[in-house]
Amino acid sequence: MVQRTAESTGAGRGRYWRLLSRFAAASVVATAISQLVFLLSYSLGASAVLATVLAWLAGAIPNFVLNRRTWGGGGRAALRGEALRYGVISVGTALLAALATHHAETLAHALFPDARTGQVAVVWGSFVGTYAVMFVVKFFLIDRLVFTARPPQRAR
């Protein structure tokens, strides 16, 4: 007889929907903060890469705190490891976004040499697009690699 685990049953699916909805809510908060910082700094003349770094810094910290609450974290003892693993994923995402915005900025200057609004729109679009794609990737990486301490399952 094959024994099914909680991960392969409806309970496992329910857990993922709960985590995904909370991850999405944390991402909305972090995205709102980082988008505001990106648009403000880039439209005021910061380079695309600098605006991306500033936006990342502004959004990464609240995102970590909210996601740690979502997954439950491993307590005080696990905090350093969780922060380090989260940092690697977050910095990797920021590097991808910096690369994308850098190339988008080159394209934007060629397409809109005298229109700052057009340049901002193209570069911002690449920033948003990078984080949209990484949303799904980050969810699975965070679930499987960052917050690995699982609270004990309650008996039913």
Side-chain angles (χ1 to χ4, degrees), residues 1 31 34 42 59 69 74 88 99 107 113-114 124-126 131 133:
M1 176 178 251
T31 298
S34 65
Y42 187 69
R69 288 186 65 193
V88 168
L99 185 65
L107 176 65
D114 299 320
W124 181 52
S126 72
Y131 278 92
V133 169

Side-chain angles (χ1 to χ4, degrees), residues 25-36 55 58-64 66 86:
S27 293
V28 166
V29 169
T31 298
I33 293 167
S34 65
Q35 295 299 312
L36 181 63
I61 294 168
N63 198 313
F64 174 76
L66 292 170
Y86 177 84

Side-chain angles (χ1 to χ4, degrees), residues 2 5 10 19 22 28-29 31 45 54 65 69 77 80 85 89 93 101-102 104-105 107 118 127-128 131-132 134 144:
V2 175
T5 64
L19 288 174
R22 291 180 180 179
V28 166
V29 169
T31 298
L54 293 173
V65 171
R69 288 186 65 193
R80 180 178 293 157
R85 292 186 301 270
I89 293 166
T93 301
T101 57
H102 171 72
E105 184 174 44
L107 176 65
F127 181 78
V128 170
Y131 278 92
M134 288 305 295
R144 297 298 175 182

